[in-house]
PDB file of all heavy atoms in Angstrom:
ATOM      1  N   ASN A 204      15.439  11.310 -17.636  1.00  0.00           N
ATOM      2  CA  ASN A 204      14.878  12.386 -16.824  1.00  0.00           C
ATOM      3  C   ASN A 204      13.683  11.928 -16.000  1.00  0.00           C
ATOM      4  O   ASN A 204      13.549  12.269 -14.829  1.00  0.00           O
ATOM      5  CB  ASN A 204      14.415  13.509 -17.750  1.00  0.00           C
ATOM      6  CG  ASN A 204      15.202  14.758 -17.531  1.00  0.00           C
ATOM      7  OD1 ASN A 204      15.228  15.265 -16.408  1.00  0.00           O
ATOM      8  ND2 ASN A 204      15.871  15.233 -18.565  1.00  0.00           N
ATOM      9  N   ILE A 205      12.805  11.180 -16.643  1.00  0.00           N
ATOM     10  CA  ILE A 205      11.619  10.643 -15.953  1.00  0.00           C
ATOM     11  C   ILE A 205      12.054   9.834 -14.737  1.00  0.00           C
ATOM     12  O   ILE A 205      11.565  10.027 -13.627  1.00  0.00           O
ATOM     13  CB  ILE A 205      10.775   9.781 -16.917  1.00  0.00           C
ATOM     14  CG1 ILE A 205      10.112  10.663 -17.975  1.00  0.00           C
ATOM     15  CG2 ILE A 205       9.727   8.995 -16.159  1.00  0.00           C
ATOM     16  CD1 ILE A 205       9.399   9.893 -19.079  1.00  0.00           C
ATOM     17  N   ILE A 206      12.998   8.923 -14.962  1.00  0.00           N
ATOM     18  CA  ILE A 206      13.479   8.070 -13.872  1.00  0.00           C
ATOM     19  C   ILE A 206      14.094   8.904 -12.751  1.00  0.00           C
ATOM     20  O   ILE A 206      13.720   8.803 -11.588  1.00  0.00           O
ATOM     21  CB  ILE A 206      14.540   7.078 -14.415  1.00  0.00           C
ATOM     22  CG1 ILE A 206      13.953   6.178 -15.490  1.00  0.00           C
ATOM     23  CG2 ILE A 206      15.123   6.253 -13.287  1.00  0.00           C
ATOM     24  CD1 ILE A 206      12.754   5.416 -15.053  1.00  0.00           C
ATOM     25  N   GLN A 207      15.034   9.733 -13.140  1.00  0.00           N
ATOM     26  CA  GLN A 207      15.778  10.491 -12.134  1.00  0.00           C
ATOM     27  C   GLN A 207      14.865  11.377 -11.292  1.00  0.00           C
ATOM     28  O   GLN A 207      14.925  11.360 -10.067  1.00  0.00           O
ATOM     29  CB  GLN A 207      16.815  11.357 -12.850  1.00  0.00           C
ATOM     30  CG  GLN A 207      17.725  12.107 -11.893  1.00  0.00           C
ATOM     31  CD  GLN A 207      18.877  12.772 -12.637  1.00  0.00           C
ATOM     32  OE1 GLN A 207      18.710  13.261 -13.752  1.00  0.00           O
ATOM     33  NE2 GLN A 207      20.043  12.774 -12.034  1.00  0.00           N
ATOM     34  N   VAL A 208      14.009  12.126 -11.963  1.00  0.00           N
ATOM     35  CA  VAL A 208      13.175  13.078 -11.231  1.00  0.00           C
ATOM     36  C   VAL A 208      12.026  12.384 -10.503  1.00  0.00           C
ATOM     37  O   VAL A 208      11.626  12.806  -9.426  1.00  0.00           O
ATOM     38  CB  VAL A 208      12.675  14.196 -12.177  1.00  0.00           C
ATOM     39  CG1 VAL A 208      11.773  15.163 -11.444  1.00  0.00           C
ATOM     40  CG2 VAL A 208      13.870  14.935 -12.782  1.00  0.00           C
ATOM     41  N   SER A 209      11.516  11.294 -11.066  1.00  0.00           N
ATOM     42  CA  SER A 209      10.442  10.596 -10.353  1.00  0.00           C
ATOM     43  C   SER A 209      10.950  10.014  -9.033  1.00  0.00           C
ATOM     44  O   SER A 209      10.223   9.992  -8.037  1.00  0.00           O
ATOM     45  CB  SER A 209       9.805   9.512 -11.226  1.00  0.00           C
ATOM     46  OG  SER A 209      10.722   8.490 -11.503  1.00  0.00           O
ATOM     47  N   VAL A 210      12.203   9.573  -9.012  1.00  0.00           N
ATOM     48  CA  VAL A 210      12.772   9.077  -7.746  1.00  0.00           C
ATOM     49  C   VAL A 210      12.766  10.199  -6.707  1.00  0.00           C
ATOM     50  O   VAL A 210      12.312  10.021  -5.570  1.00  0.00           O
ATOM     51  CB  VAL A 210      14.194   8.517  -7.950  1.00  0.00           C
ATOM     52  CG1 VAL A 210      14.886   8.286  -6.610  1.00  0.00           C
ATOM     53  CG2 VAL A 210      14.148   7.210  -8.731  1.00  0.00           C
ATOM     54  N   GLN A 211      13.247  11.355  -7.102  1.00  0.00           N
ATOM     55  CA  GLN A 211      13.242  12.506  -6.176  1.00  0.00           C
ATOM     56  C   GLN A 211      11.827  12.826  -5.687  1.00  0.00           C
ATOM     57  O   GLN A 211      11.597  13.045  -4.504  1.00  0.00           O
ATOM     58  CB  GLN A 211      13.755  13.767  -6.884  1.00  0.00           C
ATOM     59  CG  GLN A 211      15.230  13.808  -7.169  1.00  0.00           C
ATOM     60  CD  GLN A 211      15.560  14.979  -8.104  1.00  0.00           C
ATOM     61  OE1 GLN A 211      14.808  15.948  -8.212  1.00  0.00           O
ATOM     62  NE2 GLN A 211      16.694  14.884  -8.792  1.00  0.00           N
ATOM     63  N   MET A 212      10.893  12.854  -6.658  1.00  0.00           N
ATOM     64  CA  MET A 212       9.547  13.315  -6.320  1.00  0.00           C
ATOM     65  C   MET A 212       8.758  12.319  -5.474  1.00  0.00           C
ATOM     66  O   MET A 212       8.054  12.701  -4.544  1.00  0.00           O
ATOM     67  CB  MET A 212       8.773  13.649  -7.595  1.00  0.00           C
ATOM     68  CG  MET A 212       9.267  14.911  -8.269  1.00  0.00           C
ATOM     69  SD  MET A 212       8.233  15.383  -9.674  1.00  0.00           S
ATOM     70  CE  MET A 212       6.810  16.069  -8.824  1.00  0.00           C
ATOM     71  N   ILE A 213       8.862  11.032  -5.816  1.00  0.00           N
ATOM     72  CA  ILE A 213       8.150  10.029  -5.012  1.00  0.00           C
ATOM     73  C   ILE A 213       8.717  10.023  -3.598  1.00  0.00           C
ATOM     74  O   ILE A 213       7.990   9.910  -2.619  1.00  0.00           O
ATOM     75  CB  ILE A 213       8.233   8.630  -5.662  1.00  0.00           C
ATOM     76  CG1 ILE A 213       7.508   8.637  -7.014  1.00  0.00           C
ATOM     77  CG2 ILE A 213       7.621   7.569  -4.754  1.00  0.00           C
ATOM     78  CD1 ILE A 213       7.643   7.346  -7.805  1.00  0.00           C
ATOM     79  N   ASP A 214      10.032  10.177  -3.503  1.00  0.00           N
ATOM     80  CA  ASP A 214      10.661  10.244  -2.186  1.00  0.00           C
ATOM     81  C   ASP A 214      10.112  11.425  -1.387  1.00  0.00           C
ATOM     82  O   ASP A 214       9.820  11.310  -0.202  1.00  0.00           O
ATOM     83  CB  ASP A 214      12.178  10.370  -2.366  1.00  0.00           C
ATOM     84  CG  ASP A 214      12.925  10.460  -1.047  1.00  0.00           C
ATOM     85  OD1 ASP A 214      12.480   9.822  -0.074  1.00  0.00           O
ATOM     86  OD2 ASP A 214      13.943  11.170  -0.988  1.00  0.00           O
ATOM     87  N   ARG A 215       9.953  12.554  -2.069  1.00  0.00           N
ATOM     88  CA  ARG A 215       9.537  13.782  -1.381  1.00  0.00           C
ATOM     89  C   ARG A 215       8.030  13.798  -1.091  1.00  0.00           C
ATOM     90  O   ARG A 215       7.619  14.145   0.013  1.00  0.00           O
ATOM     91  CB  ARG A 215       9.899  14.976  -2.272  1.00  0.00           C
ATOM     92  CG  ARG A 215       9.936  16.300  -1.560  1.00  0.00           C
ATOM     93  CD  ARG A 215      10.487  17.400  -2.466  1.00  0.00           C
ATOM     94  NE  ARG A 215       9.650  17.677  -3.603  1.00  0.00           N
ATOM     95  CZ  ARG A 215      10.048  17.676  -4.883  1.00  0.00           C
ATOM     96  NH1 ARG A 215      11.300  17.413  -5.184  1.00  0.00           N
ATOM     97  NH2 ARG A 215       9.216  17.953  -5.859  1.00  0.00           N
ATOM     98  N   LEU A 216       7.242  13.428  -2.095  1.00  0.00           N
ATOM     99  CA  LEU A 216       5.791  13.569  -1.969  1.00  0.00           C
ATOM    100  C   LEU A 216       5.085  12.321  -1.446  1.00  0.00           C
ATOM    101  O   LEU A 216       3.967  12.401  -0.937  1.00  0.00           O
ATOM    102  CB  LEU A 216       5.170  13.909  -3.332  1.00  0.00           C
ATOM    103  CG  LEU A 216       5.670  15.148  -4.058  1.00  0.00           C
ATOM    104  CD1 LEU A 216       5.044  15.230  -5.444  1.00  0.00           C
ATOM    105  CD2 LEU A 216       5.319  16.407  -3.266  1.00  0.00           C
TER     106      LEU A 216
END
Side-chain angles (χ1 to χ4, degrees):
Chain A
N204 245 302
I205 290 173
I206 299 304
Q207 185 171 37
V208 178
S209 66
V210 168
Q211 288 169 22
M212 288 186 76
I213 296 174
D214 179 34
R215 198 172 65 234
L216 303 174

